[in-house]
Amino acid sequence: MNKKCVYIYTIGCQMNVYDSEMFKKVLKPLGYIPVDEVEDADLVIVNTCTVRKKAEEKAFSFLGRTRALKKKNPELIVAIGGCVAQQEGAAIMRRMPYVDLVFGTRAYSRLAEMVARFEVDRMPVVDVEMSTGISEEPAPPAPDHEVEVSRFVTIMRGCDNFCSYCIVPYVRGREESRDPHAIVSEIRDLVAAGAREITLLGQNVNSYGLKEGLCDFPELLRRVAEVEGLERIRFATSHPKDLSPGLVEAYRDLPKLCNHIHLPVQSGSNAVLKKMNRKYTRDDYLGRIESLKKVRPDISITSDMIVGFPGETDADFEETLDLVREVGFSGIFAFKYSDRPNAPAVKYEGKVSEEAKSRRLDALLDLEKELSEKRNSSYTGTVVDVLVEGRREGRGGLQWTGRSSCNRVVNFVREKEEGAPELVGKVVPVYIEEGLPHSLRGTMKSDI
Ligand code: 5AD
Ligand code: SF4
């Protein structure tokens, strides 16, 4: 079999990162090895995101670049997968005739077959079939090489929530959960290959298993926690409306469950939350945070926020700022509202001007910076447990890097490096000397 090279460009969420790993695995039997330079590729795959307009533009601008590559090498295969592919389908080929394969969000299991066929007949293919159930997807093959310390595992696909701004339910289909045994077995394989931290992925993990009558999410967490050798469990994303008492109990009982939750609130105004179809109020949200803090007083909470949703007034936005102060988020991903095809909010009145959106985004990011600096500097002089992920060149030479349980990046040096054992994959105590805006810096002392 000839050695061939695949370059995968991944845009968007962790789900896409996981899927891109799958693409690599299913293409391996065809002889494709992943490369880091697009110029070296025989096959280029763009795994796309359409959640905001900007992400979509990124995909098309990258695809534009592949046109020049194809001029140089007419044999090059250009494929587009993921949410933009699902949304646009055959229209992509009409717009960009140099694209050879278009495959949607549920077509990964057919990718290898598509590529193999194209290598022979050079006939373009569009596969945006959505009917493949998650239970029909073949389990990913066990890794045959050492894997990174921190890995993603998809536990469900799709979304049934229909938040009014969101395109996800239209491009990722209805919510479907994977069998818990398949999930646990995949995690065992990853841990055997070197993973120490697993992030369970789904659009709304809190409703895992309910529709299918599988076990619920807290029970899944308990089963995953039993995997020997696994040090840490994280998950994303959870919807506040479905955060159950069972999940709070899991935080109480499972030390492997990291001290962090990403719980997107989107807005602090009840009027806006209602129009967003989020199905909770500001007080509901605060109540859930309070119950989590009862069992984990120092839990770190992060959120997504949308500014400039149609009809959002300055007073609504003030309520968002106020909520951010009240919760004391450790991190915020803030976005300007953007109209997405099919999402009901496209038709909502009271569109907010670009200028007001920018102003609100800046104000939110300023507040977030202030809070995160305050929080990070409060770690100075403390000792945190860090799961070491790697070593890289940083300010002042080679540094170890990893994350704390509450998901802060920690860069550190070791007091005595010579002859000391390898740290990657280990949880080690680090003395924090400085809290920077986006990371902590410290030293691993020999006496702690
Ligand atoms: N405009 C802006 N932000 C959006 N998000 C989802 N849809 C939109 C949109 N139309 C944000 C939400 C979500 C995150 C993944 O992207 O905050 O939680
Ligand atoms: Fe989109 Fe809402 Fe589903 Fe998240 S929960 S993917 S924001 S519809």
Side-chain angles (χ1 to χ4, degrees):
M1 190 168 35
N2 285 341
K3 189 188 106 181
K4 292 170 281 189
C5 298
V6 55
Y7 176 86
I8 304 181
Y9 180 56
T10 307
I11 305 165
C13 65
Q14 296 162 330
M15 210 60 107
N16 274 11
V17 175
Y18 175 86
D19 284 349
S20 290
E21 282 302 309
M22 284 307 158
F23 301 164
K24 288 182 199 164
K25 281 184 184 168
V26 299
L27 290 168
K28 201 170 172 190
L30 297 186
Y32 282 98
I33 53 163
V35 287
D36 295 331
E37 300 295 334
V38 67
E39 284 77 16
D40 298 336
D42 302 290
L43 165 64
V44 176
I45 302 178
V46 197
N47 196 5
T48 59
C49 168
T50 181
V51 76
R52 287 172 298 276
K53 195 158 178 45
K54 252 193 180 159
E56 192 176 300
E57 287 165 358
K58 211 165 153 186
F60 284 120
S61 111
F62 179 82
L63 273 177
R65 270 180 63 200
T66 63
R67 177 187 204 163
L69 293 172
K70 201 150 179 168
K71 269 210 182 117
K72 263 200 255 162
N73 170 17
E75 293 293 302
L76 177 71
I77 307 175
V78 176
I80 167 167
C83 294
V84 175
Q86 188 68 50
Q87 168 81 11
E88 301 292 324
I92 294 174
M93 286 196 179
R94 286 196 288 275
R95 189 168 147 192
M96 302 181 148
Y98 49 93
V99 171
D100 302 305
L101 306 172
V102 177
F103 62 101
T105 53
R106 305 254 170 145
Y108 104 81
S109 56
R110 299 185 294 275
L111 175 65
E113 199 190 313
M114 276 169 84
V115 171
R117 210 172 339 122
F118 187 84
E119 285 176 346
V120 177
D121 65 14
R122 309 289 299 183
M123 292 289 285
V125 184
V126 178
D127 180 350
V128 288
E129 179 58 58
M130 283 285 259
S131 59
T132 323
I134 203 164
S135 50
E136 295 148 43
E137 285 179 12
D144 57 2
H145 57 282
E146 221 172 274
V147 301
E148 292 91 1
V149 169
S150 179
R151 294 298 301 247
F152 300 134
V153 170
T154 290
I155 63 166
M156 58 206 295
R157 291 184 187 273
C159 182
D160 288 350
N161 286 311
F162 295 94
C163 301
S164 62
Y165 50 80
C166 189
I167 197 172
V168 167
Y170 309 95
V171 288
R172 290 221 173 236
R174 295 289 63 72
E175 196 172 285
E176 263 191 288
S177 298
R178 268 179 88 191
D179 180 73
H181 301 101
I183 296 170
V184 172
S185 137
E186 184 177 341
I187 293 174
R188 278 211 190 94
D189 289 342
L190 288 169
V191 171
R196 293 290 169 266
E197 174 180 278
I198 295 292
T199 304
L200 305 174
L201 297 180
Q203 303 297 340
N204 176 19
V205 295
N206 288 337
S207 55
Y208 170 82
L210 299 181
K211 212 154 104 175
E212 291 86 356
L214 301 167
C215 71
D216 65 6
F217 185 58
E219 171 60 22
L220 179 70
L221 286 172
R222 282 170 204 272
R223 293 192 197 178
V224 172
E226 279 166 19
V227 174
E228 246 171 78
L230 179 65
E231 297 273 355
R232 290 181 170 181
I233 307 168
R234 302 183 187 276
F235 58 86
T237 292
S238 46
H239 195 304
K241 81 176 162 58
D242 299 315
L243 194 153
S244 65
L247 185 67
V248 177
E249 285 157 20
Y251 270 105
R252 184 193 62 199
D253 300 341
L254 303 176
K256 287 186 186 180
L257 193 53
C258 284
N259 216 8
H260 168 228
I261 187 166
H262 184 62
L263 196 62
V265 62
Q266 312 294 0
S267 166
S269 148
N270 282 337
V272 175
L273 286 172
K274 191 153 200 303
K275 282 190 221 153
M276 286 179 163
N277 194 28
R278 290 291 286 177
K279 303 194 180 87
Y280 55 83
T281 62
R282 175 193 176 96
D283 279 349
D284 294 336
Y285 185 85
L286 290 170
R288 310 253 143 99
I289 299 286
E290 202 179 296
S291 53
L292 284 167
K293 283 191 172 165
K294 266 197 193 125
V295 296
R296 294 270 185 115
D298 53 352
I299 191 166
S300 120
I301 300 151
T302 54
S303 178
D304 295 346
M305 297 285 186
I306 296 177
V307 300
F309 184 80
E312 184 189 69
T313 61
D314 279 333
D316 289 320
F317 177 64
E318 278 305 317
E319 292 200 58
T320 296
L321 292 179
D322 187 62
L323 181 90
V324 171
R325 282 188 209 99
E326 187 163 349
V327 176
F329 290 108
S330 319
I332 289 172
F333 300 93
F335 309 106
K336 288 188 210 171
Y337 168 79
S338 85
D339 268 339
R340 305 311 294 130
N342 292 324
V346 172
K347 300 198 196 82
Y348 288 6
E349 283 174 9
K351 291 279 155 65
V352 174
S353 71
E354 215 28 57
E355 184 267 323
K357 280 191 215 169
S358 299
R359 190 165 25 86
R360 289 177 195 167
L361 185 71
D362 288 347
L364 187 55
L365 293 178
D366 282 351
L367 175 60
E368 127 87 354
K369 187 160 174 262
E370 182 192 317
L371 293 175
S372 118
E373 273 175 6
K374 217 192 226 166
R375 200 167 226 261
N376 277 2
S377 63
S378 74
Y379 283 92
T380 308
T382 64
V383 174
V384 299
D385 283 338
V386 177
L387 174 59
V388 187
E389 291 175 17
R391 210 171 174 204
R392 62 166 179 239
E393 203 60 49
R395 244 190 346 168
L398 260 187
Q399 288 186 329
W400 295 98
T401 183
R403 272 170 307 139
S404 66
S405 170
C406 55
N407 213 24
R408 283 196 165 61
V409 172
V410 183
N411 298 313
F412 66 98
V413 290
R414 184 156 45 172
E415 266 191 339
K416 285 192 213 91
E417 200 58 71
E418 245 164 72
E422 169 66 38
L423 288 185
V424 172
K426 297 208 169 65
V427 177
V428 300
V430 174
Y431 176 78
I432 303 301
E433 279 140 2
E434 192 182 6
L436 301 161
H438 300 291
S439 63
L440 304 175
R441 195 185 54 75
T443 302
M444 183 185 159
K445 308 245 181 202
S446 18
D447 56 348
I448 51 173

